[in-house]
Amino acid sequence: MASLLLAIVVALGAVPAQAHDARPASVLIRELPNDRFAMRVRAPGSVALDNRPIPVAPGGCTPVNLGAEDIGDVLSQAVVSCPGGVQGKRFGIAYPIYNPSLSTLFRLEQLDAPPLSALLPPSETSWTIPERASVLEVVGDYFRLGVQHILGGLDHLLFVTGLLLVAGTFRRSLIALTGFTLAHSITLALSTLNLVRLPAPPVEAVIALSILFLAVEIVRGRKDSLTFRYPALVATLFGLLHGFGFAGVLREIGIPQTEIAAALLAFNVGVEAGQVAFVLLALALYALVRRAMSGLDLAGQRDPGPAIRQLCAYGMGMVAVFWLVQRMESFA
């Protein structure tokens, strides 16, 4: 049993620090003068260089210039001439080797009209540009983006796991998660609307530090500490910081200027829906593991709960230290 627990902790420590790399591929179509349109295709760093997505222009559009360069993420670009505009035309991307099962965010920036956008599932890699955006489509797209972002945001999920372990009871967990939700919703909106901005590298590093803080508190197990006595307060304070992390993806891909409120609300609701699904799964898994270990005599204790919490805390701490060191390296 000891060797099994050690293997689990080592595996957790090997988790890569791409906590926010669950972003979709993105296609920016920017209108230029004289019916020309620039296509810029980005994909997360998890996509191999030889599998970089290639822009696919619609029928009736003529390539003007083709090129590729690396700017942080994998980036391909093209300029095409589309006489008569692009409404009703189908833009897309193609992966040279295989589809890595990423969603694709398309965005059209027009000279004399509001931008249009759509988030497509991994099975769809092309978008027919409509005349104008539908509010329901915007809500659906950004809800899915919120769910996808939280379920791919390993650091946020690890912090939520720590909150559950500190809170202990369902009622205290609910209060702590509510504080976390309200706090990150506030900073998500403020940051996305450019009312408050913080540089991304320090935010990412302190998010890792927040996980390490909870891990240390769980290992110490002092029930009279501020963290254990008022988990909602700790969740709220760190939630303000996590909101800036959530906002990073929205600033990067943009939101439709005509439907800012709808997009923000839908993204936030999607984040919460994904968070609730994760919490339910985590509680169910905890109950199953606790039941499976209930017959073991761990250090003279018949209740395996403390041992499970200690194991989770050490795993969280190892991952958090790894992320913290790696993210601090980006300061230079």
Side-chain angles (χ1 to χ4, degrees), residues 86-169:
V86 293
Q87 271 68 26
K89 290 185 169 60
R90 194 169 187 84
F91 284 79
I93 57 174
Y95 292 95
I97 304 176
Y98 66 95
N99 186 333
S101 297
L102 292 175
S103 298
T104 307
L105 178 74
F106 287 86
R107 178 177 173 83
L108 170 65
E109 294 184 352
Q110 306 176 87
L111 292 176
D112 300 316
L116 303 174
S117 62
L119 181 68
L120 304 183
S123 59
E124 299 180 30
T125 55
S126 60
W127 175 49
T128 300
I129 296 180
E131 291 291 335
R132 61 185 183 86
S134 162
V135 177
L136 290 179
E137 289 178 351
V138 170
V139 169
D141 289 344
Y142 281 81
F143 175 84
R144 289 195 299 273
L145 185 61
V147 173
Q148 183 183 63
H149 183 62
I150 184 63
L151 293 182
L154 299 181
D155 48 2
H156 298 299
L157 296 181
L158 215 53
F159 182 81
V160 169
T161 300
L163 286 180
L164 295 176
L165 294 174
V166 167
T169 67

Side-chain angles (χ1 to χ4, degrees), residues 158-308:
L158 215 53
F159 182 81
V160 169
T161 300
L163 286 180
L164 295 176
L165 294 174
V166 167
T169 67
F170 177 78
R171 179 177 177 275
R172 283 163 55 88
S173 297
L174 181 62
I175 295 174
L177 289 173
T178 300
F180 180 67
T181 296
L182 293 176
H184 73 61
S185 299
I186 293 172
T187 47
L188 168 63
L190 292 176
S191 182
T192 304
L193 297 175
N194 291 319
L195 297 176
V196 179
R197 292 290 296 272
L198 291 179
V203 168
E204 298 295 329
V206 179
I207 287 175
L209 191 60
S210 71
I211 301 169
L212 181 59
F213 171 81
L214 286 184
V216 171
E217 288 291 287
I218 295 168
V219 170
R220 291 174 63 206
R222 292 187 54 179
K223 302 300 182 180
D224 59 341
S225 69
L226 181 67
T227 303
F228 276 90
R229 290 169 59 197
Y230 304 105
L233 175 61
V234 174
T236 300
L237 293 176
F238 281 121
L240 293 172
L241 184 71
H242 281 247
F244 289 107
F246 286 130
V249 66
L250 285 186
R251 287 199 309 270
E252 187 171 315
I253 65 178
I255 57 177
Q257 296 302 302
T258 55
E259 303 294 347
I260 293 178
L264 265 177
L265 179 61
F267 180 83
N268 202 56
V269 172
V271 167
E272 299 321 312
Q275 182 174 285
V276 168
F278 170 77
V279 167
L280 293 176
L281 178 62
L283 292 176
L285 182 61
Y286 176 77
L288 287 174
V289 173
R290 187 169 181 173
R291 182 174 181 180
M293 297 176 64
S294 60
L296 301 177
D297 188 359
L298 302 174
Q301 296 182 357
R302 302 297 296 179
D303 179 12
I308 296 173

Side-chain angles (χ1 to χ4, degrees), residues 21-64:
D21 218 15
R23 296 165 294 171
S26 64
V27 181
L28 172 63
I29 306 165
R30 185 164 53 89
E31 185 178 3
L32 305 173
N34 302 320
D35 287 334
R36 293 181 304 150
F37 294 83
M39 295 179 63
R40 304 188 71 179
V41 181
R42 291 182 184 272
S46 56
V47 178
L49 290 178
D50 57 355
N51 195 38
R52 66 175 62 188
I54 302 169
V56 178
C61 294
T62 305
V64 176

